[in-house]
Amino acid sequence: MILRSWHYEDILKIAQMEKECFPAEPWSFQMLADSFGNENFSGILADDGGEIIGYAGITVNVDTADIDNIAVAQYYRKSGVGTALLTELISIAKSRGCQKIFLEVRVSNSEALKLYLDHGFKGVYARTRYYTDGEDCLVMAKEL
């Protein structure tokens, strides 16, 4: 597996994986394409022999960053792909001078919550009924 930046030609595959990983509220093809127009956004892919097995994105805003998404194909979960992607996002934020990273996660996503807690993220507050299906989200942060 290698980590590399997103390329525009990757968007269709990313959009397909987005629908598989986040069926309730996936980013659209257009939202993913628009990320290329944002100079503060960085997208990272996990590539296994030409197959996209995971992806992640972060937006840096002066001294803070927001993790926009992290997704790993079902078959590759619990194999270190998510950890590698998250570690790379943290590295990007540090290299751009960020002091803190934020993210939002569904309260029911125990695998993601464990990943974030294991990497030093802490719950800051909950947003009730945040998602369209009524589920709450937990806003988490990590000091750098």
Side-chain angles (χ1 to χ4, degrees):
M1 174 188 79
I2 62 165
L3 297 181
R4 64 173 176 82
S5 295
W6 292 9
H7 301 297
Y8 195 81
E9 58 268 18
D10 296 318
I11 297 175
L12 184 57
K13 289 181 182 177
I14 294 169
Q16 290 169 340
M17 187 181 291
E18 180 78 6
K19 289 177 187 174
E20 293 168 11
C21 293
F22 306 107
E25 293 185 39
W27 278 29
S28 68
F29 179 90
Q30 189 62 54
M31 290 169 71
L32 293 164
D34 288 348
S35 67
F36 280 90
N38 182 347
E39 63 186 25
N40 298 322
F41 179 84
S42 295
I44 303 297
L45 289 179
D47 184 316
D48 187 26
E51 179 184 356
I52 297 171
I53 60 173
Y55 61 90
I58 190 167
T59 302
V60 174
N61 303 299
V62 186
D63 63 347
T64 64
D66 293 297
I67 293 178
D68 299 308
N69 50 23
I70 296 179
V72 177
Q74 182 71 38
Y75 181 78
Y76 292 91
R77 291 185 186 157
K78 296 186 179 183
S79 68
V81 176
T83 295
L85 290 165
L86 179 58
T87 300
E88 185 64 20
L89 295 180
I90 292 168
S91 178
I92 290 168
K94 284 181 180 178
S95 73
R96 293 197 178 173
C98 292
Q99 302 298 312
K100 191 180 263 191
I101 302 177
F102 293 93
L103 61 83
E104 298 167 343
V105 61
R106 284 180 176 269
V107 295
S108 65
N109 192 343
S110 59
E111 289 180 26
L113 286 166
K114 180 175 179 350
L115 174 68
Y116 302 139
L117 289 168
D118 287 349
H119 285 85
F121 284 84
K122 296 181 178 159
V124 179
Y125 58 89
R127 290 186 173 148
T128 57
R129 302 179 54 84
Y130 180 74
Y131 296 102
T132 56
D133 63 2
E135 186 173 355
D136 298 345
C137 97
L138 179 63
V139 175
M140 301 183 82
K142 175 183 174 72
E143 300 282 340
L144 299 178

